[in-house]
Amino acid sequence: KRLDELREYKEANGDCRVPKKYEKNKSLGGWVDKMRSIYKNNDKKQDPAWKRRFAQLEALGFEWEVLKLKFLAEDVWQMHLNELREYKEANGHCRVPLQSAKNKTLGNWVNQMRCNYKNDFMKQDPVCRKRFAQLEAVGFEWEVSPNKWQERLNELR
Protein backbone atom coordinates (compact mmCIF):
# COMPACT_ATOMS: atom_id res chain seq x y z
CA LYS A 1 0.00 0.00 0.00
CA ARG A 2 2.69 2.53 1.02
CA LEU A 3 4.80 1.70 -2.01
CA ASP A 4 1.82 2.52 -4.23
CA GLU A 5 1.30 5.78 -2.34
CA LEU A 6 4.98 6.60 -2.79
CA ARG A 7 4.69 5.83 -6.50
CA GLU A 8 1.72 8.24 -6.72
CA TYR A 9 3.68 10.89 -4.82
CA LYS A 10 6.56 10.52 -7.26
CA GLU A 11 4.24 10.84 -10.26
CA ALA A 12 2.81 14.05 -8.80
CA ASN A 13 6.08 15.55 -7.49
CA GLY A 14 8.83 14.06 -9.64
CA ASP A 15 10.76 12.52 -6.74
CA CYS A 16 10.40 10.37 -3.61
CA ARG A 17 11.34 13.13 -1.18
CA VAL A 18 8.21 12.97 0.95
CA PRO A 19 8.49 15.41 3.87
CA LYS A 20 8.13 13.75 7.27
CA LYS A 21 5.12 15.96 8.01
CA TYR A 22 3.58 15.77 4.54
CA GLU A 23 0.18 17.42 4.96
CA LYS A 24 -1.63 15.47 2.23
CA ASN A 25 -0.62 12.08 3.66
CA LYS A 26 1.03 12.25 7.08
CA SER A 27 1.32 8.48 7.38
CA LEU A 28 3.29 8.30 4.11
CA GLY A 29 5.78 10.86 5.38
CA GLY A 30 6.20 8.88 8.59
CA TRP A 31 6.62 5.62 6.67
CA VAL A 32 9.30 7.10 4.40
CA ASP A 33 11.14 8.38 7.46
CA LYS A 34 10.88 4.92 9.06
CA MET A 35 12.27 3.24 5.94
CA ARG A 36 15.31 5.53 6.03
CA SER A 37 15.79 4.80 9.71
CA ILE A 38 15.59 1.03 9.19
CA TYR A 39 18.02 1.25 6.26
CA LYS A 40 20.41 3.38 8.28
CA ASN A 41 20.39 0.88 11.18
CA ASN A 42 21.99 -1.63 8.80
CA ASP A 43 20.70 -4.68 10.69
CA LYS A 44 18.03 -5.47 8.07
CA LYS A 45 20.24 -5.16 4.99
CA GLN A 46 21.07 -8.87 5.00
CA ASP A 47 17.46 -10.00 5.43
CA PRO A 48 16.13 -11.17 2.01
CA ALA A 49 12.67 -9.64 2.58
CA TRP A 50 14.16 -6.27 3.50
CA LYS A 51 16.61 -6.45 0.59
CA ARG A 52 13.61 -6.77 -1.75
CA ARG A 53 11.88 -3.81 -0.07
CA PHE A 54 14.99 -1.67 -0.32
CA ALA A 55 15.41 -2.65 -3.97
CA GLN A 56 11.79 -1.70 -4.70
CA LEU A 57 12.32 1.69 -3.10
CA GLU A 58 15.56 2.26 -5.00
CA ALA A 59 13.85 1.25 -8.26
CA LEU A 60 11.46 4.16 -7.66
CA GLY A 61 14.40 6.51 -7.23
CA PHE A 62 14.28 6.59 -3.43
CA GLU A 63 17.19 8.42 -1.81
CA TRP A 64 18.55 7.37 1.55
CA GLU A 65 20.59 10.45 2.54
CA VAL A 66 18.28 12.41 4.85
CA LEU A 67 20.49 15.36 5.78
CA LYS A 68 20.80 16.51 2.21
CA LEU A 69 17.15 15.79 1.44
CA LYS A 70 15.90 17.88 4.36
CA PHE A 71 18.06 20.71 3.17
CA LEU A 72 16.91 20.35 -0.44
CA ALA A 73 13.15 20.02 0.13
CA GLU A 74 11.96 23.22 -1.57
CA ASP A 75 8.77 23.72 0.42
CA VAL A 76 10.51 23.28 3.76
CA TRP A 77 13.40 25.47 2.65
CA GLN A 78 11.14 28.34 1.58
CA MET A 79 9.04 28.11 4.72
CA HIS A 80 12.07 28.39 7.02
CA LEU A 81 13.79 31.03 4.90
CA ASN A 82 10.64 33.17 5.13
CA GLU A 83 10.45 32.57 8.89
CA LEU A 84 14.09 33.66 9.17
CA ARG A 85 13.35 36.85 7.21
CA GLU A 86 10.43 37.61 9.54
CA TYR A 87 12.61 36.89 12.56
CA LYS A 88 15.29 39.26 11.28
CA GLU A 89 12.73 41.96 10.60
CA ALA A 90 11.42 41.66 14.15
CA ASN A 91 14.80 41.24 15.90
CA GLY A 92 17.35 42.94 13.67
CA HIS A 93 19.50 39.81 13.27
CA CYS A 94 19.38 36.15 12.22
CA ARG A 95 20.80 34.64 15.42
CA VAL A 96 17.77 32.58 16.41
CA PRO A 97 18.43 30.93 19.78
CA LEU A 98 18.42 27.16 19.69
CA GLN A 99 16.52 27.01 22.99
CA SER A 100 13.89 29.60 22.05
CA ALA A 101 10.43 28.45 23.15
CA LYS A 102 8.77 30.81 20.67
CA ASN A 103 10.95 29.85 17.68
CA LYS A 104 12.07 26.29 18.55
CA THR A 105 11.66 24.87 15.04
CA LEU A 106 13.37 27.86 13.47
CA GLY A 107 16.16 27.69 16.06
CA ASN A 108 16.76 24.03 15.24
CA TRP A 109 16.72 24.77 11.51
CA VAL A 110 19.21 27.63 11.87
CA ASN A 111 21.49 25.35 13.90
CA GLN A 112 21.20 22.65 11.21
CA MET A 113 22.10 25.18 8.51
CA ARG A 114 25.30 25.98 10.38
CA CYS A 115 26.09 22.26 10.62
CA ASN A 116 25.35 21.81 6.91
CA TYR A 117 27.67 24.68 6.07
CA LYS A 118 30.53 22.92 7.84
CA ASN A 119 29.92 19.77 5.78
CA ASP A 120 32.28 19.68 2.78
CA PHE A 121 29.91 17.39 0.89
CA MET A 122 27.15 20.00 1.14
CA LYS A 123 29.47 22.78 -0.03
CA GLN A 124 30.10 20.84 -3.25
CA ASP A 125 26.42 20.65 -4.20
CA PRO A 126 25.27 23.51 -6.49
CA VAL A 127 21.81 23.70 -4.90
CA CYS A 128 23.35 23.85 -1.43
CA ARG A 129 25.75 26.60 -2.49
CA LYS A 130 22.80 28.59 -3.84
CA ARG A 131 20.95 28.13 -0.55
CA PHE A 132 24.00 29.20 1.46
CA ALA A 133 24.15 32.36 -0.68
CA GLN A 134 20.45 33.01 -0.01
CA LEU A 135 21.08 32.77 3.71
CA GLU A 136 24.01 35.16 3.46
CA ALA A 137 21.85 37.61 1.50
CA VAL A 138 19.42 37.69 4.43
CA GLY A 139 22.32 38.49 6.77
CA PHE A 140 22.88 35.01 8.17
CA GLU A 141 26.06 34.52 10.19
CA TRP A 142 27.75 31.13 9.98
CA GLU A 143 29.74 31.53 13.18
CA VAL A 144 28.08 32.81 16.30
CA SER A 145 30.89 33.14 18.80
CA PRO A 146 30.50 34.02 22.47
CA ASN A 147 32.46 37.23 21.80
CA LYS A 148 29.95 38.32 19.16
CA TRP A 149 27.11 37.51 21.53
CA GLN A 150 28.72 39.65 24.23
CA GLU A 151 29.25 42.48 21.75
CA ARG A 152 25.56 42.41 20.85
CA LEU A 153 24.58 42.33 24.52
CA ASN A 154 26.75 45.40 25.15
CA GLU A 155 25.07 47.18 22.23
CA LEU A 156 21.69 46.60 23.89
CA ARG A 157 22.84 48.20 27.18
Side-chain angles (χ1 to χ4, degrees), residues 15-17 36 57 61-66 68-69 72:
D15 59 49
C16 296
R17 299 174 186 159
R36 287 196 179 99
L57 288 168
F62 193 83
E63 298 169 82
W64 301 106
E65 180 60 48
V66 179
K68 186 175 176 184
L69 293 179
L72 293 176

Side-chain angles (χ1 to χ4, degrees), residues 117-131:
Y117 185 76
K118 293 174 185 174
N119 182 324
D120 289 334
F121 172 75
M122 300 290 271
K123 287 181 180 177
Q124 302 301 319
D125 186 283
V127 174
C128 295
R129 285 197 312 264
K130 178 183 169 201
R131 300 261 172 94

Side-chain angles (χ1 to χ4, degrees), residues 5 15 19 22 25 28 58 66 97 127 135 138 141:
E5 290 174 352
D15 59 49
Y22 181 51
N25 185 343
L28 178 62
E58 289 170 356
V66 179
V127 174
L135 286 168
V138 173
E141 298 173 53

Side-chain angles (χ1 to χ4, degrees), residues 62-110:
F62 193 83
E63 298 169 82
W64 301 106
E65 180 60 48
V66 179
L67 175 66
K68 186 175 176 184
L69 293 179
K70 282 184 181 177
F71 187 62
L72 293 176
E74 184 65 29
D75 57 339
V76 175
W77 168 260
Q78 286 302 323
M79 178 185 75
H80 288 306
L81 186 61
N82 290 336
E83 287 175 357
L84 184 61
R85 286 180 179 131
E86 290 170 10
Y87 182 91
K88 182 180 181 185
E89 188 173 310
N91 298 282
H93 60 79
C94 296
R95 293 180 305 279
V96 184
L98 183 58
Q99 303 301 323
S100 171
K102 185 179 178 185
N103 298 295
K104 185 176 172 96
T105 304
L106 183 59
N108 286 331
W109 183 79
V110 162

